[in-house]
Amino acid sequence: MRLAAVESRNVTCQEPLPPIFWERAHASNVWDADGNRFVDLGAGFGVAGVGHAHPRVVEAVARQLARLPHAMGDVHPAVAKVELLEALAARFPGGVPARSVLGSSGSDAVEIALKTALLATGRPGLVAFEGAYHGVHQGAVSLTSSRHYLEFAGVPRQRVFRLPYPYSYRFPFPVERRGDESKIVLRYLEHLIEDEHSGLDDLAGIIVEPVEGEGGYIPPPGDFLPGLREIADKAEAPLIIDEVQTGFGRTGKFWGCELTGTTPDIMCV
Ligand SMILES: Cc1ncc(COP(=O)(O)O)c(C=O)c1O
């Protein structure tokens, strides 16, 4: 295959069948290289939340490209950057004043969130969830639960405390009532933090997806994020909400965490 000849083998899934190559897309439709038309129910991993090639997005990108394709980062910043950061700040959940660091991918955002949490607390301990996907950069890949990505990254997993995501259909422990999974997870997390013999005496942050994406599109019970918020407050550690896949209206609210009125300390978008 032409792609396999020029791309590292760890990027595109080539097995058991070669992938369908996309050629173009419009609104909710995608056409492959053979001209077959598909309905993109995944909205391009959430990137095409307003549909592929929405005319207003195309026009805005074209306008900016024609006007100023690249500024000089921290030396001569673009006016458009100020406008973007102001728009993001105005949208931060809970109306809290917010400042941003721009990156070029979701993995960048998670990497920056990690550094921020470690800097703010001076502690290294991280809590993440089973089934989580937080990207593949050197730090972020340790938060992603699948071994698959870690093996391809070629780095050892950093120390991460991992708890089950409260998934009603595939939860490892018995529960009396559906929806009680979150209570078990929250109680166990509290125990880990409170018990001086648990090994988690250095919490730097808790990172969570408001709806677990790659893990299977799992909306958690409604008390899960608010419960994490309380635990993080008590532990004086940041709650990092990864909205890379749930943000920008994907869940019906602008941010997924707004479904339960939860305000993060750090948000990845
Ligand atoms: C929740 C979540 N976080 C982080 C990432 C990483 O984003 P990127 O692929 O842009 O690095 C993804 C990608 O799908 C994601 O779904």
Side-chain angles (χ1 to χ4, degrees), residues 44-47 104-110 132-137 140 144 207-214 217 242-246 268-269:
F45 285 138
V47 172
S104 52
S105 68
S107 299
D108 278 6
V110 172
Y133 184 81
H134 296 294
V136 291
H137 284 1
T144 290
I207 183 161
V208 65
E209 294 163 79
V211 173
E212 208 170 65
E214 160 141 346
Y217 293 99
D242 182 346
E243 295 267 4
V244 168
Q245 211 167 144
T246 46
C268 309
V269 305

Side-chain angles (χ1 to χ4, degrees), residues 67-193:
R67 193 184 173 94
L68 178 69
H70 191 269
M72 286 185 61
D74 51 343
V75 185
H76 299 296
V79 172
K81 168 160 130 172
V82 187
E83 291 165 359
L84 172 62
L85 298 193
E86 283 172 351
L88 278 173
R91 278 286 191 178
F92 196 79
V96 179
R99 278 174 291 183
S100 303
V101 182
L102 293 179
S104 52
S105 68
S107 299
D108 278 6
V110 172
E111 210 71 22
I112 292 162
L114 281 184
K115 288 181 186 164
T116 307
L118 268 59
L119 263 175
T121 60
R123 301 187 292 257
L126 292 162
V127 165
F129 293 90
E130 290 175 15
Y133 184 81
H134 296 294
V136 291
H137 284 1
Q138 182 131 358
V141 75
S142 287
L143 300 168
T144 290
S145 72
S146 166
R147 257 214 92 64
H148 168 81
Y149 298 105
L150 199 70
E151 278 164 10
F152 288 162
V155 293
R157 195 190 289 285
Q158 289 166 24
R159 185 167 140 270
V160 171
F161 286 79
R162 197 172 296 283
L163 281 77
Y165 198 77
Y167 182 19
S168 293
Y169 292 105
R170 293 200 180 88
F171 195 65
F173 308 113
V175 283
E176 260 173 40
R177 270 180 322 151
R178 210 175 126 198
D180 280 355
E181 300 80 14
S182 47
K183 293 184 180 50
I184 296 178
V185 176
L186 293 168
R187 180 65 206 105
Y188 185 55
L189 179 55
E190 271 174 335
H191 160 78
L192 278 178
I193 294 170

